[in-house]
Amino acid sequence: MKNAKFLILGIFFGIVLIKAEVVSWFRIQEMFLFDSFHMYGVIGSAIFVGAISIQLIKRFNINSFEGDPIVLNPKKMLKVGNITGGIFFGIGWALTGACPGPLFALTGAGYTIMIMAILGATMGTMTYGLLKKYLPH
């Protein structure tokens, strides 16, 4: 029950994604064809809000909801891993018409075929977990 606020926030966020047409395959296609600024505006806004949020967390030492300090460790970038991961991400996005985040919102909006995409994403995550120790990091 203590996580109910996160469930409600998630449902609200899903509704916003659907109403803003951010999860629409048509809007995504427009973005890749450079026919519309809609998605670039949404992505740019998210980057802007995220950058400001990170600066506020760092500057004011903001803690998590549980009171733990938020630690933002720098990520080690590997060219091979980023390229390979980007290719798999792009293939999944092209096949489903959605990135992983909105899959649940699309399912909730009645696009039940997205359950297959959720299962595929889950299997991919599990496969990575099994192979992680063999991959360069």
Side-chain angles (χ1 to χ4, degrees), residues 13-29 38-39 42 93 96-109 111 114:
F13 185 61
I15 292 168
V16 169
L17 289 176
I18 295 293
K19 292 296 184 183
E21 296 183 356
V22 176
V23 296
S24 164
W25 68 268
F26 179 73
R27 289 292 186 183
I28 294 168
Q29 181 185 33
H38 182 85
M39 290 298 289
V42 171
W93 197 353
T96 63
C99 61
L103 293 177
F104 292 99
L106 286 165
T107 302
Y111 300 98
M114 288 301 161

Side-chain angles (χ1 to χ4, degrees), residues 45-62 70 72:
S45 299
I47 291 170
F48 181 73
V49 169
I52 289 176
S53 299
I54 288 173
Q55 290 306 312
L56 291 172
I57 289 169
K58 287 180 176 180
R59 194 161 293 161
F60 296 109
N61 294 320
I62 296 173
I70 298 173
L72 303 169

Side-chain angles (χ1 to χ4, degrees), residues 62-137:
I62 296 173
N63 293 329
S64 70
F65 287 116
E66 288 81 25
D68 300 324
I70 298 173
V71 180
L72 303 169
N73 296 322
K75 303 289 185 212
K76 183 178 176 185
M77 297 294 180
L78 294 172
K79 196 178 249 186
V80 172
N82 288 348
I83 292 170
T84 305
I87 289 170
F88 279 113
F89 183 86
I91 290 170
W93 197 353
L95 291 174
T96 63
C99 61
L103 293 177
F104 292 99
L106 286 165
T107 302
Y111 300 98
T112 55
I113 191 64
M114 288 301 161
I115 293 171
M116 297 305 293
I118 292 170
L119 292 173
T122 303
M123 288 189 315
T125 303
M126 292 172 62
T127 302
Y128 171 75
L130 294 171
L131 299 177
K132 183 178 178 181
K133 60 186 171 191
Y134 305 109
L135 299 172
H137 285 94

